[in-house]
Each structure stands twice: as structure tokens, then as C-alpha cells.
């Protein structure tokens, strides 16, 4: 029997859509929400479900950045057959995204038992929320915010891409938070850091969702909750992306840092008092 109902799937879809691209940890919020609804956070079908509904959020990125993606993919395609096109930044950027995705794929496959086992604990989520908050605050203070998207290179893409591993291993750290913080340390401005985080998330999260699909269905999640959760996450994520890009153009990440700290402390309190179980 499925561990997740249609109603719960809709709620989780909203949580996924709101938090996937905000630097607050979608995995952490999903696990907290599952815990509050009495859903076993370390159940194989539940882990698979949360990975699959991420595809809805990724679809929102594909739609929102459709023109950019077409431009980059077109440049990559032209560069494969025309040597002159290989000097174009978009051609290089496409390869950088591919290269930067390899580390998280390797670690994800190698550490799968840990990710779905001991590291799925809400204690890990609480600790990662607080540690990630410290990193984000320091990065925003250290970064000089002087480099734009056209100033990025292979080194930037690889370092930012590798930082996704932190969120993979430590739910609560936040993939968006880790990638944006790394980009800020590399002196990218906030909008460039946010956009780079989006583009690097497309192959990583899409691959994870498709990889987990068979496990989610095979472990007992009915197709209907999967469809509902994915559709809801798409709609909410699209609105979230539009809001975030406008927000970071004018504000620092301090609001997210404070929010993460409050949630982390609250989660520790709920676990410590037995209201939630890890």
C-alpha cells in the first residue's frame, strides 16, 4: 500500500515547489513535513517519491529559462560540427554543466545506501540547516559580487557543481544554498550565482528523479500521488523562481539565513522533546 495519499502528495508538492530553489533546503523541509504528517521519512517509497516530484520543479526551470536553454543547447550543437563555434561562451558553458554534474552522479551512486539510510535522519537535517546557514552568511559577507554570468569559467562551474554533494550527503544543507554560497565566494553577483545554481540543478535533479522513479513505483507509491505531487511542484516552483530572481537582485541572503536558523533550532527542539522522531 502506498505510504503517501493524494492529499499528502499535494502538500509535499507545494513544499517542494516553494523550497527547491530557495536556499532553505527542499529535502529538509520535505522530511520535516513528512514527519509532521506521520510519513516514515526513511521509507524507500517515500525517498523515491521526494526525488520524483523534483522533476516538476525542474520542469518549471526548463519552461522559465526556455530561451536561455535553447540558446545554450543550440550553441553546443553548432560547436560539435563547427570549430569556430567552439569559442562561443554558450558552447563552453554547456560542456561545463556536463562536467560539473559528473561528481554528484558518482557520489550519489556510491553513497546511495548512506543517503537513504543513516543520513536521512532528521537530526542530520537540523544540524545541516544550522551549518549551512553559517556558510551562507559567511559567503554573502565575503563575496565581492563583482562578476556576472558571462564571467564564469570551468573552474567556477566545477566548484559550484561539486558543492551540490554537500546537500546530497547532508539533507538540510540545501543544494541551492550550497551552490549559491560557493558562487558568492567566487565573487559572482547574487543574480549570476542564482542563475548558475538553476542551470547546474537541471541535469542533477532530473537524473535523480528519473533514477528514483522505478524505486518509487516499485516500492508502493501509487502513480496518482506521484502525478499530483509533480504537477503541484511545477506550478509552485515556477512562481518561486520568478520571485527569487527579483528578490536577489535587490536583497542579501540574510533573510534566508535567519529563517534557516529558526527552523533548525525548532527542529532540534521538536526532536529533543519527542514531538518528532528522527
Amino acid at each position: 500500500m502506498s505510504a503517501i495519499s493524494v492529499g499528502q502528495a499535494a502538500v509535499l508538492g507545494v513544499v517542494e515547489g516553494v523550497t527547491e530553489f530557495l536556499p532553505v533546503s527542499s529535502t529538509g523541509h520535505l522530511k520535516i513535513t513528512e514527519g509532521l504528517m506521520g510519513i516514515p521519512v526513511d521509507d524507500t517509497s517515500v525517498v523515491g517519491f521526494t526525488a520524483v516530484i523534483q522533476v516538476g520543479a525542474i520542469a518549471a526551470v526548463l519552461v522559465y529559462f526556455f530561451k536561455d536553454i535553447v540558446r545554450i543547447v543550440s550553441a553546443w550543437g553548432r560547436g560539435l560540427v563547427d570549430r569556430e563555434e567552439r569559442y562561443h561562451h554558450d558552447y563552453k558553458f554547456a560542456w561545463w554543466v556536463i562536467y560539473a554534474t559528473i561528481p554528484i552522479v558518482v557520489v550519489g551512486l556510491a553513497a546511495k545506501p548512506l543517503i537513504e539510510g543513516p543520513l536521512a535522519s532528521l537530526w542530520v537535517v537540523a544540524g545541516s540547516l544550522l551549518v549551512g546557514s553559517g556558510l551562507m552568511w559567511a559567503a554573502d559577507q565575503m563575496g565581492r559580487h563583482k562578476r556576472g554570468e558571462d564571467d564564469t569559467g570551468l573552474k567556477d562551474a566545477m566548484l559550484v557543481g561539486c558543492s551540490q554533494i554537500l546537500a546530497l550527503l547532508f539533507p538540510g544543507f540545501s543544494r541551492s544554498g550550497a551552490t549559491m554560497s560557493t558562487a558568492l565566494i567566487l565573487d559572482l553577483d547574487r543574480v549570476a550565482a542564482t542563475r548558475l545554481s538553476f542551470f547546474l540543478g537541471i541535469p542533477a535533479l532530473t537524473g535523480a528523479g528519473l533514477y528514483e522513479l522505478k524505486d518509487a513505483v516499485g516500492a508502493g507509491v501509487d502513480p496518482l500521488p506521484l502525478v499530483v505531487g509533480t504537477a503541484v511542484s511545477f506550478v509552485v516552483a515556477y512562481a518561486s523562481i520568478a520571485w527569487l530572481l527579483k528578490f536577489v537582485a535587490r536583497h542579501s541572503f540574510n533573510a534566508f539565513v535567519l529563517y534557516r536558523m529558526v527552523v533548525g533550532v525548532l527542529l532540534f527542539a521538536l526532536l529533543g522533546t519527542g514531538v518528532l522522531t528522527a
Side-chain angles (χ1 to χ4, degrees), residues 237-268:
Y238 189 91
S240 180
I241 293 168
W243 177 84
L244 179 61
L245 287 171
K246 291 179 181 179
F247 180 86
V248 298
R250 300 180 179 179
H251 303 85
S252 72
F253 287 107
N254 288 341
F256 297 118
V257 171
L258 179 60
Y259 172 78
R260 288 171 57 102
M261 292 180 66
V262 170
V263 174
V265 171
L266 179 60
L267 181 54
F268 267 123

Side-chain angles (χ1 to χ4, degrees), residues 12-254:
L12 294 174
V14 171
V15 174
E16 164 63 23
V18 171
T19 62
E20 181 58 59
F21 301 111
L22 302 186
V24 296
S25 176
S26 61
T27 302
H29 280 74
L30 285 168
K31 289 186 180 299
I32 293 170
T33 305
E34 289 162 359
L36 291 172
M37 292 193 297
I39 299 172
V41 298
D42 58 349
D43 185 279
T44 303
S45 64
V46 176
V47 173
F49 174 87
T50 56
V52 171
I53 64 173
Q54 288 177 340
V55 176
I58 291 299
V61 173
L62 295 175
V63 173
Y64 193 90
F65 292 106
F66 182 74
K67 291 183 179 179
D68 294 297
I69 294 170
V70 169
R71 188 190 74 243
I72 293 169
V73 173
S74 298
W76 181 74
R78 291 193 302 270
L80 293 178
V81 297
D82 185 346
R83 184 180 296 273
E84 292 298 321
E85 291 289 339
R86 296 173 190 174
Y87 296 100
H88 198 288
H89 183 269
D90 286 339
Y91 171 80
K92 296 176 182 179
F93 185 78
W95 277 114
W96 298 340
V97 170
I98 294 172
Y99 297 150
T101 303
I102 295 175
I104 193 173
V105 172
V106 173
V107 173
L109 293 174
K112 193 170 187 289
L114 285 175
I115 296 168
E116 296 183 351
L119 294 178
S121 169
L122 287 177
W123 287 110
V124 176
V125 172
S128 298
L129 279 167
L130 295 180
V131 174
S133 298
L135 174 63
M136 187 181 300
W137 180 85
D140 208 11
Q141 301 304 310
M142 292 167 53
R144 289 178 286 180
H145 316 293
K146 66 177 184 178
R147 300 172 58 205
E149 188 174 343
D150 291 337
D151 298 322
T152 57
L154 176 59
K155 177 184 175 182
D156 301 312
M158 291 302 297
L159 289 174
V160 174
C162 287
S163 70
Q164 296 178 110
I165 295 172
L166 288 171
L168 180 68
L169 297 178
F170 306 107
F173 210 97
S174 170
R175 190 202 65 81
S176 295
T179 52
M180 291 177 191
S181 296
T182 303
L184 290 174
I185 292 173
L186 295 171
D187 292 332
L188 270 68
D189 63 50
R190 295 187 183 97
V191 173
T194 303
R195 284 174 59 88
L196 182 58
S197 174
F198 285 146
F199 288 126
L200 288 175
I202 291 172
L205 295 177
T206 301
L210 296 177
Y211 181 79
E212 294 286 355
L213 179 59
K214 65 180 188 307
D215 292 334
V217 176
V221 176
D222 294 332
L224 183 57
L226 279 174
V227 172
V228 170
T230 303
V232 171
S233 73
F234 168 81
V235 174
V236 177
Y238 189 91
S240 180
I241 293 168
W243 177 84
L244 179 61
L245 287 171
K246 291 179 181 179
F247 180 86
V248 298
R250 300 180 179 179
H251 303 85
S252 72
F253 287 107
N254 288 341

